[in-house]
Amino acid sequence: MRQKQTIAIIGTGAVGGYYGALLQQAGHHLHFLLRSDFDQVQRQGLKISSPNGDIILPNVHAHASPDTMPPCDLAIVALKTTANHQLQYILPRIIKDAGAALTLQNGLGSDQLIARLIGPERTLGGLCFLCACKVAPGHIVHQDYGLITLGEFSQKGITPRLESITNLLKEAAIPAQSIEDLKLARWKKLVWNVPFNGLSVLHHCLTDHLISNPALRQLSIDLMHEVVEAAAVCAGIIEPAFIDQMIDNTEKMVPYAPSMKVDFDNNRPMELESIYGEPIRQACACGIEMPQTNALYLQLHQLNGSRSADPVLVN
Amino acid sequence: MRQKQTIAIIGTGAVGGYYGALLQQAGHHLHFLLRSDFDQVQRQGLKISSPNGDIILPNVHAHASPDTMPPCDLAIVALKTTANHQLQYILPRIIKDAGAALTLQNGLGSDQLIARLIGPERTLGGLCFLCACKVAPGHIVHQDYGLITLGEFSQKGITPRLESITNLLKEAAIPAQSIEDLKLARWKKLVWNVPFNGLSVLHHCLTDHLISNPALRQLSIDLMHEVVEAAAVCAGIIEPAFIDQMIDNTEKMVPYAPSMKVDFDNNRPMELESIYGEPIRQACACGIEMPQTNALYLQLHQLNGSRSADPVLVN
C-alpha cells in the first residue's frame, strides 16, 4: 500500500473540492485553502453529492492562509485563472523540496506561471473533464464524468513521477491517464474552448444555438481552424478531422453552457487571458496571427469593462 | 539633417500625446492610435499647453485601428499597462522589419511582453519623468519635466541604434539620455513606486502624509528595502543610500498624488501587475519573497475587486 501523501488543494471550488474529497477519502492528508467559504468548511466539512455515492467529510483541514499549511508532497491548483495573482505567495511556501504542483486550470499560461514560481521540474499540468458545481459553501454536486489527463510541463513523455501521481489519483477512484504531450493536449482542448466559450457569452446562448445557426456555426469552425493552425506552429499537429469530431460531438450534446458563460451570467470574471490572451500571444511569438480569435478576445474584454466600474481601455 | 522617420504613438494619453506632438513638430511623420478620443482628435488635432510654449497641431494622422496605420520605423508605446492586452494585435502589424518599439510604460513586464511579440532585438524600454495630464480629448497640459531615459532590452550597454533613437528625441526638444542597464533602472524606479503608489491608495492620502506619519513612513522604508533586496538578486545593486535619497526627495516635494492614486480616484484600473505583481513574480523566480509588497498587492487587488461588479477572488 502506498504511503499516505500530504496534499494541498489550492482553491476549493467544484474542481478542488471534488477531487480533494476523493483523495481524503482514500486516506491522504488533505489541506484545503479557501477564502470565502473558510468559516463554513472549517465548521461543517465538505459534502459531495454524486451518482457514484455521496461523500461526507465532517472534518477537513481548512486554511484561510498558506501560512498555516504544512509542507506538501503535492499541491493541486484549482483556482480560477483570474485569481492566479495569489499563487506567487502561496506555492513557494507550501511545497516540499521534492514535492510538485499539478494545475487543473483552464487554457494556457498557468503551467508557465507555476514553472516560473517553483521551477519547471516541479510542475505538472492536467486537464479535467468534470461536470460538477458548488451549490453552497462546502457542498459540491457531482453530475457526471471526472477524468483527469495529466502530463509533465518540462518534457514530453511519461516520467516515473508522472506515472506515480496518476496512480495516486486512480487509487483514490479518480479516473486518470498520463499523457505524453501536455502542450498539445492543452491546444486540443482550446479547439473547442475558443469558439464555444466566447460566442456563448457574446450571443447570450448555449451550444445548441451556436451549432444550429448557420453563421455562428461557420464562425465557430473558422475559429477552430485558426486554433489548429496556431497549434501546428506552437505545439504540434491536430488533424483537421478533429474539428469535424468536435462539431459532431457538440451537435449531439444536450444544450450546454460553457464555463465562461456560467461565469459571465453569475457576474464572475471570465477567464479571458488563459482561453484567449495567452494562446494569441504564444501564437504571435511563433509568428502566427489569430485575427478572428483576437477580435473575439477584444470584444469580450470590452464587455467585461462595460460591466464593471473599471473601464478596461484607457486612452 | 536626419531623415524623417515614420513614428507610431500607441495610446494617445498625456504621455503619448505630449511626446508625439513634439516629434511631429520636429518634422517626423506621426501616426496616433486612439480609441475614445479618435473622433475629436481627427477633427481638431492635438494641443499641448506648456510653460515651454504651446504646441497647436490642427492636423494629425489619427487612427482608430492599427489596420489603417503605415509600417513604422518606431512605435512608442504609451498605453496604460492595464490595456496591454491590445498590443498583441497592434505591434506585429505596424512595425517595419528593421523598426523597433520603445515602451514608456510603468513598472515591469511590458518590455518582456513586447519582446515576446516582436522579438527582443527590436525592443527598447524607457522611463519617463513627466508631469502632464490630459484635460480634454486632444488637449494635454504639460506642467513640468519631461526627461526620457532609455535602454536596450536584449543587452546591457549603449548600442548605435539606441544612441540614434536618443538623438532623435533630443533633436525634437525632448530631454533624453541613453542608459546602460534598463532592468536596473526599472527596479530603481520601483523603489519609489512600490511604497508610494499603493499606500496612497489604501490610506487615501498624498505623499506628504506617508512621509510625516511615523508608522506609514517606516512601512514605506521597509517596502523600499524589500525592493532593493529583490533587485540585488534580479537586476543589480542599488546602494542603501538611494533609499535615504528617495525619502529625502519625497519630503521636499509638494504633496503629490502618485499615478495609481489618480487612477483610483478617477475610477480607472490601477496598474497592479506592472508595479506589484510582476516584480513579485520576478523575485519569486529568483528565489526571493517580497512578503510586505505582496500584502500590499493583495489588498489593492481586493480593493479593485470590491469596487467593480466582478469579484477578483473566486472560490
Side-chain angles (χ1 to χ4, degrees):
Chain A
M1 187 53 194
R2 168 189 300 272
Q3 211 189 330
K4 297 308 171 195
Q5 305 279 298
T6 301
I7 301 174
I9 303 290
I10 311 301
T12 310
V15 171
Y18 176 68
Y19 291 120
L22 284 167
L23 288 163
Q24 177 163 330
Q25 203 184 31
H28 296 290
H29 308 297
L30 266 285
H31 291 267
F32 296 88
L33 182 65
L34 316 99
R35 304 267 158 167
S36 49
D37 297 349
F38 171 74
D39 286 338
Q40 277 183 273
V41 170
Q42 194 186 35
R43 266 203 320 274
Q44 303 170 6
L46 277 176
K47 179 177 170 185
I48 313 293
S49 306
S50 167
N52 304 340
D54 294 355
I55 303 172
I56 316 271
L57 302 172
N59 295 301
V60 301
H61 293 292
H63 299 264
S65 156
D67 296 334
T68 59
M69 299 178 86
C72 293
D73 301 296
L74 180 65
I76 294 179
V77 181
L79 289 173
K80 300 281 286 190
T81 53
T82 49
N84 274 357
H85 59 275
Q86 299 175 20
L87 292 177
Q88 57 204 38
Y89 197 66
I90 299 169
L91 289 182
R93 317 173 74 75
I94 63 159
I95 304 177
K96 287 180 186 170
D97 285 347
L102 168 66
T103 166
L104 300 179
Q105 297 171 284
N106 269 335
L108 303 187
S110 294
D111 303 321
Q112 286 85 348
L113 170 66
I114 293 170
R116 219 175 135 192
L117 299 179
I118 61 168
E121 72 295 343
R122 297 206 290 167
T123 304
L124 298 113
L127 296 85
C128 53
F129 302 85
L130 173 70
C131 287
C133 58
K134 194 179 81 175
V135 294
H139 185 191
I140 289 144
V141 173
H142 170 223
Q143 289 132 342
D144 208 349
Y145 310 108
L147 174 68
I148 296 177
T149 62
L150 62 162
E152 291 277 357
F153 171 74
S154 63
Q155 56 177 289
K156 288 190 191 178
I158 293 168
T159 61
R161 189 260 304 267
L162 171 60
E163 202 51 24
S164 152
I165 294 176
T166 301
N167 286 333
L168 177 149
L169 297 172
K170 284 181 180 171
E171 288 162 18
I174 298 168
Q177 195 185 323
S178 299
I179 52 176
E180 303 259 351
D181 190 338
L182 174 63
K183 197 198 256 186
L184 185 58
R186 292 231 185 266
W187 277 93
K188 280 185 92 161
K189 200 166 179 193
L190 286 174
V191 173
W192 194 91
N193 272 328
V194 163
F196 292 110
N197 273 284
L199 291 176
S200 69
V201 171
L202 289 178
H203 294 275
H204 302 281
C205 66
L206 304 185
T207 48
D208 57 335
H209 180 66
L210 298 176
I211 281 288
S212 62
N213 176 290
L216 293 173
R217 181 192 178 102
Q218 188 55 51
L219 178 55
S220 299
I221 293 172
D222 291 348
L223 286 160
M224 286 175 156
H225 279 286
E226 216 171 75
V227 175
V228 166
E229 280 160 30
V233 179
C234 296
I237 299 300
I238 300 171
E239 297 297 334
F242 185 72
I243 293 178
D244 303 334
Q245 188 193 323
M246 285 293 107
I247 291 288
D248 199 46
N249 287 355
T250 310
E251 218 152 29
K252 290 176 184 153
M253 275 164 56
V254 292
Y256 182 75
S259 64
M260 192 172 283
K261 164 91 173 139
V262 175
D263 286 336
F264 183 77
D265 289 348
N266 286 287
N267 216 24
R268 294 190 298 246
M270 297 184 280
E271 296 187 290
L272 298 186
E273 294 311 317
S274 59
I275 306 285
Y276 295 103
E278 189 56 24
I280 297 166
R281 287 188 288 273
Q282 291 195 13
C284 179
C286 298
I288 301 285
E289 288 196 345
M290 301 177 73
Q292 296 189 85
T293 306
N294 200 75
L296 196 51
Y297 171 64
L298 292 181
Q299 286 176 80
L300 291 163
H301 249 295
Q302 194 63 45
L303 193 63
N304 228 1
S306 66
R307 284 204 318 168
S308 83
D310 296 338
V312 169
L313 302 180
V314 189
N315 256 326
Chain B
M1 186 56 197
R2 170 190 298 274
Q3 212 190 327
K4 297 309 172 196
Q5 305 278 299
T6 301
I7 301 174
I9 302 290
I10 310 301
T12 310
V15 171
Y18 176 68
Y19 291 120
L22 284 167
L23 288 163
Q24 177 163 332
Q25 204 185 30
H28 297 290
H29 307 297
L30 266 286
H31 291 268
F32 296 88
L33 182 66
L34 317 98
R35 303 269 158 165
S36 48
D37 296 349
F38 170 73
D39 286 339
Q40 277 181 272
V41 170
Q42 194 187 33
R43 266 203 318 275
Q44 303 170 8
L46 277 175
K47 179 177 171 185
I48 313 293
S49 305
S50 168
N52 304 339
D54 294 356
I55 304 172
I56 316 270
L57 302 172
N59 295 303
V60 302
H61 294 292
H63 299 265
S65 156
D67 296 334
T68 59
M69 299 179 86
C72 293
D73 300 296
L74 180 66
I76 294 180
V77 181
L79 288 173
K80 300 280 285 189
T81 53
T82 50
N84 273 358
H85 60 273
Q86 298 175 20
L87 292 177
Q88 56 203 38
Y89 197 65
I90 298 169
L91 289 182
R93 315 173 75 74
I94 62 158
I95 304 177
K96 287 181 186 169
D97 284 347
L102 168 65
T103 167
L104 300 179
Q105 298 172 285
N106 269 335
L108 303 187
S110 295
D111 303 321
Q112 286 85 348
L113 170 66
I114 293 170
R116 217 174 136 193
L117 300 179
I118 61 168
E121 73 294 345
R122 298 205 289 167
T123 304
L124 298 112
L127 295 84
C128 52
F129 302 85
L130 173 70
C131 286
C133 59
K134 194 180 81 176
V135 293
H139 185 191
I140 289 142
V141 174
H142 171 223
Q143 289 131 344
D144 208 349
Y145 309 109
L147 174 68
I148 296 177
T149 64
L150 61 161
E152 291 278 356
F153 171 74
S154 63
Q155 57 177 288
K156 288 190 191 178
I158 293 169
T159 61
R161 189 260 303 267
L162 171 61
E163 202 51 23
S164 151
I165 293 177
T166 301
N167 286 332
L168 177 147
L169 297 172
K170 285 180 178 169
E171 288 162 17
I174 298 168
Q177 194 185 323
S178 299
I179 52 176
E180 303 259 351
D181 190 338
L182 174 64
K183 197 198 253 185
L184 185 57
R186 292 231 185 265
W187 276 94
K188 280 184 94 162
K189 200 165 180 194
L190 286 174
V191 172
W192 194 91
N193 272 328
V194 162
F196 292 110
N197 274 284
L199 291 176
S200 68
V201 171
L202 288 178
H203 295 275
H204 302 281
C205 67
L206 304 185
T207 49
D208 57 335
H209 180 66
L210 298 177
I211 282 287
S212 62
N213 176 291
L216 293 173
R217 181 191 178 101
Q218 188 55 51
L219 179 54
S220 299
I221 293 172
D222 291 348
L223 285 160
M224 287 175 155
H225 279 286
E226 215 172 74
V227 176
V228 166
E229 281 159 30
V233 180
C234 295
I237 300 300
I238 301 171
E239 297 297 334
F242 185 72
I243 292 178
D244 303 334
Q245 187 192 323
M246 286 293 106
I247 291 289
D248 199 45
N249 287 354
T250 309
E251 220 152 27
K252 290 175 185 155
M253 275 163 56
V254 293
Y256 182 76
S259 65
M260 192 172 283
K261 164 91 172 138
V262 175
D263 286 336
F264 183 77
D265 289 348
N266 287 286
N267 216 24
R268 294 191 298 247
M270 297 184 279
E271 296 187 290
L272 298 185
E273 295 311 316
S274 59
I275 305 285
Y276 295 103
E278 188 57 24
I280 297 166
R281 287 189 288 272
Q282 291 194 14
C284 179
C286 298
I288 300 285
E289 287 196 347
M290 301 177 74
Q292 295 188 87
T293 307
N294 198 76
L296 196 52
Y297 170 64
L298 292 181
Q299 285 176 81
L300 292 162
H301 249 295
Q302 194 65 45
L303 194 63
N304 228 1
S306 66
R307 283 204 319 168
S308 83
D310 296 338
V312 170
L313 302 180
V314 189
N315 257 327

